[in-house]
Amino acid sequence: MLLVAYVILALTVLSVCAIATNGAVRGGGAYFMISRTLGPEVGGSIGLMFYLANVCGCAVSLLGLVEAILDVFGADASGSSGLRVLPQGYGWSLLYGSLLLGLVGGVCTLGAGLYARASFLTFLLVSGSLASVLVSFVAVGPRDIPLAPRPGPNGSSLPPQVGHFTGFNSSTLKANLDAGYAKDYTTGAMMTFASVFAVLFNGCTGIMAGANMSGELKDPSRAIPLGTIVAVAYTFFIYILLFFLSSFTCDRVLLQEDYGFFRAISLWPPLVLVGIYATSLSASMSSLIGASRILHALAQDDLFGVILAPAKVVSRGGNPWGAVLYSWGLVQLVLLAGKLNTLAAVVTVFYLVAYAAVDLSCLSLEWASAPNFRPTFNLFSWHTCLLGVASCLLMMFLISPGAAGGSLLLMGLLSALLTARGGPSSWGYVSQALLFHQVRKYLLRLDVRKDHVKFWRPQLLLLVGNPRGALPLLRLANQLKKGGLYVLGHVTLGDLDSLPSDPVQPQYGAWLSLVDRAQVKAFVDLTLSPSVRQGAQHLLRISGLGGMKPNTLVLGFYDDAAPQDHFLTDPAFSEPADGTQEAGAPALSTLFPPPRAPGSPRALSPQDYVATVADALKMNKNVVLARACGALPPERLSRGSGGTSQPHHVDVWPLNLLRPRGGPGYVDVCGLFLLQMATILGMVPAWHSARLRIFLCLGPREAPGAAEGRLRALLSQLRIRAEVREVVWGEGAASEEPEEEEEGDFVNGRRGDAEAEALACSANALVRAQQGRGRGGPGGPEEGDGEVGPATALTFLYLPRPPADSARYLRYLGLLEILSRDLGPTLLIHGVTPVTCTDL
């Protein structure tokens, strides 16, 4: 048991020494180390539990002291040496404990200086007592020691027993080697390895006494490792020496029946009493002053609010007497329990939780490989830290599964409370360092050469000019990412050569706040460029890292619609009226300029807008142009389900309506990309009620039903559930066009502007007509549902490639505007990469 206890202590001491020598350690000891490493949530919860452990530890020491006093001076004291002057009973024991607590509290209230002098005095007394005991083992000859009769059944007494001090005898040692557990004299329950270990471990919990006094030490980084290691080594030597001497010289009856047998074999029994009393007083003072320092540190950090406010009070000399009185009151409450060994199990479990947390803190720092973790104490490794955590947790559950489970549950509840309250963010979180370390490692293993189409997912780069007008699109893109990368990109116009500093860096805070408020899972990437087009090229090339780079560019549509300020209508961006906003933090609405006024100049010309689309396609990026997303109802953009609203449709037109032709146009790469994106959107809970409709245009020489059958077979292979509708479109147009037309020319050069606009108008009319047929038609909602407006919630259209000739960019944009006019929320998509797979 002693070896197990000291292995746990030694592993924890190595972690304490490593953390203590890695920087300045202020008041709070173990709590300070844990909280500044694992963060306020975990540190605060474990710090409070460590505080309670010290409080209960103080009560256990005082109860042990009362028991030792009554064993000699009590009215029911056993043996001829008892003076029998003090009345006994539960109430009297509580009174004696309270008086002793007052003495201990008085010393601690007067300050650390008096405590240090008192501790040194008790050290001298205990050392003298130990010396007399060790000499007595050798100097005293064999003797019989009469023992007090034990109470028997029905109130009778059992015959008196006699214990034997045999001197050094190998037979005595051999007889003592077996376990032979007896009943607990305080509860009557049979003792076990776990219950005895819980009592024994309480004698080993002083390793944090020096660390708890870190605020009073001149050089904590030197004093804590040196003092703790010396103390552990010294106490282990004393314990192991006493264990072997007792086992060699005292029989089992004496060891089990007389807990004060040192007096019976001592050359001068009063000196043994002095040592026992001094030890108990020292342990109780150490626990109480350590608890007060931990509580004061907790109060100073303001983690638990007004509950711990009294503990902030300090004297002129800096002594936290408010925390001492607070702790004194709690110890007084614990004294009411009165069951020494029952308290011992709870105290031991709480101490083990704190020790495990210290080991975990050191393990986290070591695993994070942070350059600033450079402790001057190097006699540790992640193996010792991990073994310390595992051994503490194992012994917790061996000692008391109920107390261990309860302590972990309490820690979880306290962590949740502190997380809800919000803690300081300036301490530094080792979790961030661990995440960085792991993310970097796995990014290196994410090999783009091993990409496979069946694991493809959209990785979006959404270019945003002003988020005030792009909030619905920002949330819609978040729904389309399907667990992929999502980057918000913004281009600030300017030239760094003509500026005194980089104007981009100060903007990151506002954009990160935007991400938090909008509740989207996105990264932010900002750049400075002379033009938006060049900035978009920069972001397309350098956004992301390794195998996580955007493969799809998302842009808002370029039209003459006046931008709306969605910050004014979105509840997430309304400023709190009760003044609960963090002090000193500017309102998010002030961090972004108001929307552009109608008719004011734009940062991006129509020519550059189309050129940006062309640039993305040249870089082999998919392109999504979003129009009228502000018309989407809020429930469609929420993170939850779509509620109880009536089903709507998502319409997909997987062919180029500006270049009608027959044949299997729906199975090209771009058409399949549209189907994939629409299917991904349907997986989002807010869109579960939407029904997917795919419109198939009949070719001029194609019989009705033939193409639909092929498409249904394809959809079955792709596991896409959708309604297929055939429409007649482009009849006769295909015969006027060559079989192989340059893809960059989305409209045949021989077709005039008027004819192209007429074609776009016809296509727009066709799409709007199909939207109007959604309600009450085949596959639409039931009749009489009271739905108002079009039944289509979102339309996916095939986006043609921009023309190869940049002089035709404006004509291209004008035709797109005609094609998507008055269609409601619309996504024009052009895909360039294969994204569907029919294989397992």
Side-chain angles (χ1 to χ4, degrees), residues 94 275 292 584 604 685 709 771:
L94 180 62
S292 66
L604 182 65
Q771 287 181 341

Side-chain angles (χ1 to χ4, degrees), residues 93 104 253 323 706:
S93 296
V104 171
V253 175

Side-chain angles (χ1 to χ4, degrees), residues 474-488:
L474 190 143
R475 289 194 169 119
L476 180 62
N478 185 64
Q479 295 175 328
L480 287 170
K481 71 181 186 303
K482 187 52 180 174
L485 178 68
Y486 180 23
V487 179
L488 293 182

Side-chain angles (χ1 to χ4, degrees), residues 653-656 659 661-672 675 695-697 699 702 707 710-711 714 798:
W653 296 79
L655 76 166
N656 189 351
R659 187 182 176 188
R661 62 183 177 184
Y666 56 88
V667 295
D668 69 355
V669 170
C670 184
L672 291 175
L675 292 177
F695 290 91
L696 179 60
C697 295
E702 206 161 10
R710 294 200 304 272
L711 179 57
L714 176 66
Y798 188 117

Side-chain angles (χ1 to χ4, degrees), residues 286 333 547:
S286 173
L333 291 177

Side-chain angles (χ1 to χ4, degrees), residues 507-587:
Q507 299 179 24
Y508 272 97
W511 284 88
L512 293 174
S513 298
L514 170 73
V515 169
D516 294 338
R517 288 283 190 93
Q519 294 183 320
V520 296
K521 298 177 181 178
F523 298 94
V524 174
D525 218 342
L526 311 179
T527 188
L528 181 70
S529 179
S531 70
V532 175
R533 180 185 177 187
Q534 290 184 23
Q537 291 177 0
H538 297 165
L539 294 174
L540 283 169
R541 291 186 187 280
I542 66 175
S543 289
L545 196 63
M548 293 188 67
K549 296 183 75 69
N551 56 28
T552 304
L553 174 67
V554 183
L555 296 170
F557 194 77
Y558 198 101
D559 56 18
D560 295 327
Q564 301 177 16
D565 190 350
H566 294 283
F567 280 15
L568 300 178
T569 57
D570 195 299
F573 290 84
S574 59
E575 305 301 336
D578 54 359
T580 56
Q581 184 173 325
E582 186 177 349

